[in-house]
């Protein structure tokens, strides 16, 4: 069995390097021949690489790719359909409007087997819930809490869904006031400047909810430069499980990082494996993310930071090899040796 993953980033990008690492470990354990082709963030080069793959790799069974935008994804699906190459999209959630244009997997595109994507709405909700409840426990006598939201760009599906999760959470906590929600475009510098601006106007906020750990780190810098104490004066959290953010949780500066979605690299291979041997359907799958907090950081931080998945028996997650409904993919993180 042979798979190719079109990595959307050059080597050296932290998140996608972690995706590649867990995929290589899963492939080795399941005896899958995996090739990782590294693309460029430029969409034209991404499409050019896909065309090269279908023309030069006649024996490949599955092509694994991510959704960049509707134009690129439609061209990819057209290409794979033309060359009769089975494909699975993962780690990026399509919007309802995009599904209306493309149809569901194996509807208009027979060789598009499915989509495995993180539940970004759930991630945004969990981040808000953890931050609010931590702050409420810390300051039980405060009648009202203030929250600053730092979002991604306004057209990005993960950014839209994570913001939706935040708004859903705020409806359950009426004593939390949303001071501002500012799209910071995923950029460190933008999140830093936006946090500075809010602090100058409001002196302080109780909670900073950031749609990524990178922006949470930027808010942390701004908080410290304003003479406030993170983890005390302001409670900060983000999404992605970045090693730098996890290190600051150990220092009691950042309070929450929600993540684990890089583990979909293993999950998509296991799904392809089961489809190959028992035609197990893939369809539309949403996977869960989990919070790292001061309460559980000692149990799992090493497993996340080390990136060593050699101790994981990936066959335990295969329907074909176990005959059972596979475990939730994020359990992979709890099966590695400390």
């Amino acid at each position: 069995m042979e798979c190719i993953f079109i990595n959307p980033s050059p080597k050296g990008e932290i998140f996608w390097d972690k995706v590649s690492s867990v995929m290589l470990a899963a492939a080795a354990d399941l005896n899958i021949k995996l090739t990782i082709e590294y693309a460029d963030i430029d969409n034209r080069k991404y499409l050019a690489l896909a065309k090269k793959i279908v023309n030069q790799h006649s024996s490949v069974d599955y092509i694994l790719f991510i959704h960049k935008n509707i134009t690129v994804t439609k061209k990819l699906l057209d290409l794979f359909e033309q060359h009769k190459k089975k494909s699975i999209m993962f780690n990026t959630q399509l919007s309802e409007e995009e599904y209306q244009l493309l149809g569901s997997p194996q509807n208009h595109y027979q060789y598009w087997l499915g989509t495995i994507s993180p539940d970004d709405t759930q991630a945004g909700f969990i981040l808000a819930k953890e931050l609010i409840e931590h702050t409420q426990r810390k300051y039980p006598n405060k009648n009202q809490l203030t929250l600053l939201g730092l979002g991604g760009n306004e057209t990005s599906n993960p950014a839209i869904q994570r913001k939706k999760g935040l708004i859903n959470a705020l409806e359950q906590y009426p004593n939390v006031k949303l001071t501002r929600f500012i799209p910071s475009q995923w950029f460190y510098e933008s999140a830093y400047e936006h946090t500075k601006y809010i602090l100058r106007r409001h002196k302080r906020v109780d909670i900073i909810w950031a749609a990524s750990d990178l922006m949470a780190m930027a808010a942390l810098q701004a908080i410290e430069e304003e003479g406030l104490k993170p983890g005390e004066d302001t409670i900060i959290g983000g999404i992605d499980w970045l090693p730098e953010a996890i290190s600051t949780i150990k220092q009691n500066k950042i309070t929450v990082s929600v993540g684990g979605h890089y583990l979909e690299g293993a999950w998509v291979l296991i799904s392809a494996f089961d489809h190959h041997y028992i035609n197990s359907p893939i369809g539309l799958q949403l996977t869960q993310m989990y919070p790292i907090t001061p309460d559980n950081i000692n149990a799992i931080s090493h497993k996340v930071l080390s990136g060593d998945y050699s101790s994981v028996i990936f066959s335990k997650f295969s329907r074909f090899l176990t005959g059972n409904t596979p475990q939730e993919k994020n359990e992979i993180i709890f099966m590695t040796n400390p």
Side-chain angles (χ1 to χ4, degrees):
M1 177 183 169
E2 183 177 352
C3 295
I4 291 180
F5 168 44
I6 308 177
N7 190 315
S9 174
K11 286 184 180 180
E13 200 283 326
I14 295 173
F15 178 80
W16 289 108
D17 282 356
K18 289 169 78 70
V19 173
S20 296
S21 176
V22 75
M23 289 181 83
L24 289 167
D29 189 61
L30 295 168
N31 197 29
I32 296 172
K33 181 182 178 182
L34 174 66
T35 301
I36 299 177
E37 296 282 0
Y38 292 89
D40 190 279
I41 57 173
D42 182 271
N43 290 337
R44 289 170 298 179
K45 292 181 180 179
Y46 190 80
L47 286 167
L49 179 58
K51 290 176 183 176
K52 177 183 174 184
I53 288 168
V54 297
N55 287 318
Q56 296 184 1
H57 294 267
S58 58
S59 62
V60 65
D61 296 295
Y62 298 87
I63 298 176
L64 315 173
F65 71 104
I66 66 118
H67 171 64
K68 291 172 75 72
N69 61 54
I70 188 65
T71 302
V72 172
T73 294
K74 187 178 186 308
K75 288 180 179 179
L76 285 174
L77 292 174
D78 286 338
L79 178 70
F80 300 151
E81 198 75 12
Q82 178 187 348
H83 289 266
K84 298 183 179 181
K85 295 296 183 185
K86 295 188 287 289
S87 67
I88 306 171
M89 185 190 307
F90 78 105
N91 210 257
T92 333
Q93 190 174 353
L94 295 174
S95 67
E96 291 182 11
E97 293 78 10
E98 288 169 331
Y99 274 122
Q100 288 175 2
L101 288 170
L102 297 174
S104 298
Q106 297 197 288
N107 182 358
H108 179 64
Y109 295 101
Q110 192 63 31
Y111 288 87
W112 175 27
L113 302 180
T115 297
I116 300 171
S117 56
D119 190 340
D120 283 300
T121 304
Q122 175 256 4
F125 180 91
I126 289 293
L127 174 59
K129 180 177 183 291
E130 291 285 342
L131 288 169
I132 291 168
E133 293 186 356
H134 178 91
T135 309
Q136 287 175 333
R137 289 191 299 270
K138 197 170 189 67
Y139 301 107
N141 297 323
K142 258 198 167 184
N143 294 325
Q144 187 175 66
L145 299 173
T146 55
L147 184 146
L148 166 63
L150 299 172
N153 63 58
E154 295 176 284
T155 60
S156 159
N157 287 336
I160 292 167
Q161 296 301 320
R162 290 174 189 184
K163 179 183 178 182
K164 181 180 177 182
L166 167 63
I167 300 304
N168 290 347
L170 290 174
E171 290 174 357
Q172 297 188 16
Y173 298 93
N175 68 319
V176 181
K177 178 186 176 183
L178 182 62
T179 301
R180 284 283 300 275
F181 185 91
I182 308 177
S184 295
Q185 311 300 321
W186 304 115
F187 295 134
Y188 186 100
E189 189 62 32
S190 297
Y192 168 79
E193 293 294 343
H194 290 151
T195 304
K196 282 275 199 179
Y197 169 76
I198 292 297
L199 292 176
R200 291 188 187 113
R201 289 198 62 185
H202 298 273
K203 301 303 180 186
R204 59 171 283 185
V205 290
D206 297 305
I207 300 167
I208 297 179
W209 178 103
S212 75
D213 280 345
L214 187 68
M215 293 190 293
M217 296 290 293
L220 170 62
Q221 180 184 345
I223 287 287
E224 291 184 318
E225 287 180 0
E226 291 298 313
L228 298 170
K229 188 174 181 182
E232 292 290 336
D233 298 319
T234 302
I235 308 302
I236 308 169
I239 298 172
D240 277 342
W241 280 6
L242 286 187
E244 295 88 346
I246 293 171
S247 295
T248 62
I249 295 176
K250 289 184 175 182
Q251 299 165 20
N252 294 313
K253 292 184 175 182
I254 284 179
T255 301
V256 187
S257 176
V258 177
H261 43 315
Y262 67 87
L263 296 170
E264 284 185 354
W267 203 242
V268 70
L269 277 179
I270 294 165
S271 298
F273 181 85
D274 284 347
H275 181 273
H276 185 75
Y277 288 104
I278 58 173
N279 201 30
S280 181
I282 297 170
L284 304 177
Q285 300 182 35
L286 283 179
T287 58
Q288 304 300 302
M289 293 192 227
Y290 290 90
I292 292 179
T293 70
D295 294 331
N296 66 12
I297 188 165
N298 290 330
I300 65 174
S301 63
H302 176 79
K303 300 167 187 177
V304 176
L305 294 171
S306 70
D308 180 9
Y309 296 96
S310 59
S311 63
V312 180
I313 304 172
F314 289 93
S315 59
K316 289 185 177 180
F317 298 87
S318 165
R319 189 185 300 271
F320 168 59
L321 294 175
T322 65
N324 300 316
T325 301
Q327 300 177 62
E328 216 287 324
K329 61 100 181 171
N330 291 82
E331 290 300 316
I332 291 170
I333 203 66
F334 301 109
M335 293 179 64
T336 56
N337 293 327

